[in-house]
Amino acid sequence: MYDQSIPSQQLPNAVGVGYKPQHFAELLETPGPVEWVEIHAENYMGDGGRPHAQLRALSERFALSVHGVGLSIGGENPLDTAHLARLRKLLERANPGSFSEHLAWSTHGAEFLNDLLPLPYTDTTLARVGDHIAQVQDTLGRQMLLENPSSYLAFAESTYAETDFLAALVQRTGCGLLLDVNNVFVSSVNLGVSPQAYIDAYPLDAVGEIHVGGHDEVTDDHGAPLLIDSHGAPVVDPVWALLEYTLARCGPKPVLVEWDTDVPEWPILRAEAERAATALALAPAC
Amino acid sequence: MSVNQSSFRAALLDAAAPAPQGLQDATGAPAGRRYDVYRNNVVVSLTEAMKLAFPTVRALVGPENFDSLAPLFVRQHPPSSPLMMHYGADFPAFLEAFTPLAHLGYLGDVARFDLARRACYHAADAVPFDAAVLQRPPEVLGNLHLVCAPATRLIRSRWPVFDLWQRATDPTAPAPRPVGQAVLITRPEFDPEVHLLPTGAATWFTTLRTRSLGAAIEAATAAAPDFDFATTLTLALQSHAFCTPERTPE
């Protein structure tokens, strides 16, 4: 179990943005309230060039969060140790305040499917994901944060609520949690539960970072709303309200605005960051 | 009903397969269209990766055509690594075997060109070449070994890849000439540069990888009697094709 008594350098309880190279110059010139940035680990695993240079420049100005999308922690197969080694090298280079990954799988056999795929919540998957998190933390020599997924469907075989599953993983492995409140909202609408009840049941003490982002809305076969986590739109009011609901219970945390597809001009993303900063400023100290 | 990852995966890239049983909505009804969200995410995200990776191929076949072609490729050749910057290595061979586009025989080499440009972008940084090394007596110079920067790439084609690239980036560029071309791709700082190589220069670069400057000039002149060493060297220096100046002389 990872020893939580030796915390790694923490992200500030302030606003961050998901870093997009097209924002590089404006982000450095007019960051607004932004105090930290998050990068997707796999985009910085090349050998050099502009990605490395920009990462160096960002790390001189901002606190950094490294967010992996390719580790497949929820996979049935053993973790890819070559990828884990690349990750370790990147973290040594970037020295981030936080490293996070997803409760999901994306690799199957020799294939990488480039999406965050869902898993059932059972004793079997709990043991497997717990072992994978322990292996990641042992290899990286640091605590990791685990992000809750956006769910579009449920597994008939699941025996745990997602919040209980996450709490059990925290207890087993000493990992922290990345609470994506947009994912909570998306999953809650899609699976017909209350997002506030999810937050009430969620182990907030373990939260090291919060995400907000945009989603799309379609309908399922029966005309029921089906929300899709697209990271391609502004954060909607109910998600801002859920962020405020969460911050009122857990106090200020590092809050990230994610916008990954149809990326807007910097002033639009900065305005989203300003709104997140307001929510943080009004959060009670807990 | 337990859904393992093999059965979840099996229907993912096959739009005709039914969604696995054991997946459901909030009421316990079969997941139906909800499963399609994952199908769509996988194919759309990989298609987006292909659009970024192959801008020249996309421009030459037309964006709409490319966007219907890419899903065919991604279903047959999903990535084998989480590093999407390496995705698409199988695309040149796929294009060359794709009968409906057999009349565009150059597409395979154009795809290789796009792969080379992306590899150049992500290649390791290097210490710039110091041209002072070349201020030596001719008998020493001939034994010199020049080393290409890690970002430098060479594409030799029986198709006019340089002209095709120019046409793809500028529709008013002249029609491609009916000749084979060789291009040099280099990275002076962060942005790859593309240069058309004069006759014999590709042989010169290729020979330099294993042999001395003198041997490379001989090989290039043998391959192309009008090989112009001075022009080629100037191009190589101005485009930052070389890095570390010298290996241990033999």
Side-chain angles (χ1 to χ4, degrees), chain A residues 74-76 103-106 115-125 128-129 149-162 165 187 190-191, chain B residues 1-9 12 19-32 34-35 38:
Chain A
E76 282 170 5
L103 177 58
W105 60 282
S106 49
D115 190 30
L116 300 167
L117 300 167
L119 58 149
Y121 302 140
T122 66
D123 287 329
T124 307
T125 58
R128 193 174 67 218
V129 175
S150 275
S151 298
Y152 308 114
L153 48 75
F155 288 76
E157 68 201 271
S158 284
T159 54
Y160 287 80
E162 187 170 283
F165 193 81
S187 299
N190 289 343
L191 299 177
Chain B
M1 175 87 200
S2 166
V3 184
N4 65 26
Q5 290 174 3
S6 293
S7 51
F8 197 100
R9 153 68 186 92
L12 209 50
Q21 289 185 5
L23 305 176
Q24 57 191 34
D25 68 10
T27 68
R34 291 163 175 270
Y35 177 79
Y38 298 104

Side-chain angles (χ1 to χ4, degrees), chain A residues 161-203:
Chain A
E162 187 170 283
T163 45
D164 293 338
F165 193 81
L166 290 166
L169 286 170
V170 168
Q171 194 162 22
R172 261 174 197 246
T173 67
C175 74
L177 296 176
L178 193 174
L179 172 56
D180 188 316
V181 296
N182 179 58
N183 289 358
V184 171
F185 186 77
V186 164
S187 299
S188 299
V189 169
N190 289 343
L191 299 177
V193 299
S194 149
Q196 289 78 19
Y198 183 104
I199 299 296
D200 293 344
Y202 186 93

Side-chain angles (χ1 to χ4, degrees), chain A residues 11-280:
Chain A
L11 295 177
N13 290 333
V15 177
V17 289
Y19 174 64
K20 296 290 145 195
Q22 57 265 51
H23 295 150
F24 181 72
E26 286 176 293
L27 172 64
L28 287 169
E29 278 163 27
T30 55
V34 173
E35 292 187 27
W36 58 282
V37 296
E38 186 160 282
I39 59 151
H40 285 180
E42 285 71 15
N43 293 341
Y44 296 84
M45 289 181 179
D47 293 329
R50 178 174 283 124
H52 284 225
Q54 290 196 340
L55 185 54
R56 280 193 298 275
L58 290 171
S59 70
E60 287 165 12
R61 174 69 178 271
F62 298 105
L64 280 182
S65 163
V66 172
H67 191 50
V69 297
L71 209 45
S72 200
I73 281 177
E76 282 170 5
N77 298 320
L79 293 180
D80 177 348
T81 52
H83 194 60
L84 206 44
R86 285 192 286 265
L87 197 54
R88 182 181 167 140
K89 213 170 136 190
L90 173 64
L91 295 184
E92 284 168 359
R93 182 152 55 85
N95 189 26
S98 170
F99 168 69
S100 51
E101 252 284 358
H102 299 83
L103 177 58
W105 60 282
S106 49
T107 294
H108 185 67
E111 291 173 356
F112 176 72
L113 295 159
N114 203 33
D115 190 30
L116 300 167
L117 300 167
L119 58 149
Y121 302 140
T122 66
D123 287 329
T124 307
T125 58
L126 180 67
R128 193 174 67 218
V129 175
D131 288 349
H132 286 172
I133 292 172
Q135 185 187 353
V136 171
Q137 295 185 141
D138 288 347
T139 306
L140 301 181
R142 63 189 298 152
Q143 185 191 38
M144 66 161 281
L145 307 180
L146 186 69
E147 178 175 348
N148 55 297
S150 275
S151 298
Y152 308 114
L153 48 75
F155 288 76
E157 68 201 271
S158 284
T159 54
Y160 287 80
E162 187 170 283
T163 45
D164 293 338
F165 193 81
L166 290 166
L169 286 170
V170 168
Q171 194 162 22
R172 261 174 197 246
T173 67
C175 74
L177 296 176
L178 193 174
L179 172 56
D180 188 316
V181 296
N182 179 58
N183 289 358
V184 171
F185 186 77
V186 164
S187 299
S188 299
V189 169
N190 289 343
L191 299 177
V193 299
S194 149
Q196 289 78 19
Y198 183 104
I199 299 296
D200 293 344
Y202 186 93
L204 289 173
D205 289 347
V207 172
E209 180 181 339
I210 293 176
H211 276 183
V212 291
H215 59 255
D216 295 338
E217 180 168 350
V218 297
T219 54
D220 75 359
D221 304 78
H222 312 289
L226 177 57
L227 304 188
I228 299 177
D229 180 34
S230 64
H231 296 178
V235 180
V236 297
D237 285 343
V239 171
W240 286 120
L242 192 60
L243 173 66
E244 288 156 16
Y245 183 90
T246 304
L247 292 174
R249 280 153 187 77
C250 67
K253 298 284 180 190
V255 175
L256 182 92
V257 180
E258 287 187 298
W259 201 322
D260 294 322
T261 58
D262 296 324
V263 176
E265 299 291 313
W266 171 244
I268 294 173
L269 182 56
R270 194 182 60 193
E272 295 281 278
E274 283 162 0
R275 188 157 174 185
T278 304
L280 264 175

